[in-house]
Amino acid sequence: MRMVLMGPPGSGKGTRAHIISDLFDIPVVTTGDMLREAVRDETQYGKIAKDYMDRGDLVPDKIVNGIVRERMMKPDVHDGFILDGFPRSQTQADALDEILDDLGIELTHVLFVVLSDEVIIQRLSKRRSCPECGAVYHLESALPKQKDICDACGAQLIQRDDDKEEVIKHRLEVYRELTEPLLERYGNRGLIVETSGEVAMNELKAHLKALLG
Ligand code: ADP
């Protein structure tokens, strides 16, 4: 399975990516996490990326395409992968086509997570994230066992700078303008599989297994 996960910010792509990764034993490649790591490590790319991310804008294609290309050349993705957060524009989709061409492989699925703007804003403004391992929590529906502490690794949870309400609205606009048009591109290739962003957490694994099985 060679999959792109698409859907608006906050639709639960990350959660789905990890479940699919376990089900099919394939790695997840998450551009948001890779960029946040670069920001944390204060790399040359990270320093440039930070301002774009804090505003909710896309990080320039040159940086993101470079990071993805480098990752995709590693042998562990050759037998399958889930791309989470990439591509997000036509230029990035062109870059992905080139990378896969060079590797002599093709996408098999584009999983599209459908969710309304109201639910997205509600979810993201109450989201808390682990800066160390990327686990996500929600102030109402998915509290950590100990307040503000990550169940998985014990780190202090944070609210991402881009999970503030104005930035969320901007991320949604960017998504509609630049990313959503990719649905047509992948639809034309017959790759799209739709799934609701509102499937309950405890049903998600069975749902995805049946859908992709
Ligand atoms: P979400 O999907 O919830 O918006 P992500 O963690 O995927 O969150 O992305 C957070 C931010 O990282 C984006 O708003 C953007 O600034 C940057 N980013 C992630 N992936 C890309 C990408 N493919 N191209 C450009 N910027 C990206």
Side-chain angles (χ1 to χ4, degrees), residues 175-186:
Y175 171 78
R176 299 273 178 246
E177 188 189 330
L178 297 174
T179 311
E180 209 167 55
L182 297 180
L183 284 177
E184 197 183 331
R185 175 178 183 136
Y186 291 127

Side-chain angles (χ1 to χ4, degrees), residues 191-211:
L191 290 173
I192 305 258
V193 181
E194 269 192 26
T195 180
S196 162
E198 299 202 64
V199 176
M201 277 297 274
N202 59 357
E203 288 164 15
L204 210 44
K205 189 171 175 182
H207 169 81
L208 289 168
K209 198 171 175 184
L211 188 69

Side-chain angles (χ1 to χ4, degrees), residues 121-138:
I121 293 170
Q122 213 272 348
R123 269 193 199 170
L124 286 185
S125 54
K126 295 203 169 137
R127 176 159 84 173
R128 294 296 177 270
S129 309
C130 176
E132 293 301 326
C133 73
V136 289
Y137 301 87
H138 186 275

Side-chain angles (χ1 to χ4, degrees), residues 1-5 26 72 77-83 96 100 103-111 191:
M1 173 179 293
R2 289 181 290 274
M3 172 185 283
V4 163
L5 245 174
I26 46 177
M72 295 298 288
V77 296
H78 203 264
D79 294 330
F81 57 81
I82 304 155
L83 267 171
L96 178 61
L100 297 181
L103 289 167
I105 52 182
E106 287 185 358
L107 289 177
T108 58
H109 301 71
V110 173
L111 185 66
L191 290 173

Side-chain angles (χ1 to χ4, degrees), residues 37-66:
E37 196 179 308
V39 170
R40 209 171 47 230
D41 295 346
E42 298 184 1
T43 66
Q44 189 194 346
Y45 283 163
K47 285 182 191 154
I48 303 172
K50 184 174 186 328
D51 289 342
Y52 290 91
M53 295 174 78
D54 286 349
R55 286 196 305 267
D57 282 324
L58 294 190
V59 173
D61 289 334
K62 230 175 107 187
I63 293 182
V64 181
N65 293 350

Side-chain angles (χ1 to χ4, degrees), residues 9 13 31-32 35-36 53 57 59 64 85 88 92 160 171:
K13 297 188 293 293
T31 46
L35 288 167
R36 276 186 289 277
M53 295 174 78
D57 282 324
V59 173
V64 181
R88 264 171 146 100
Q92 292 185 7
R160 277 170 37 181
R171 281 159 66 200

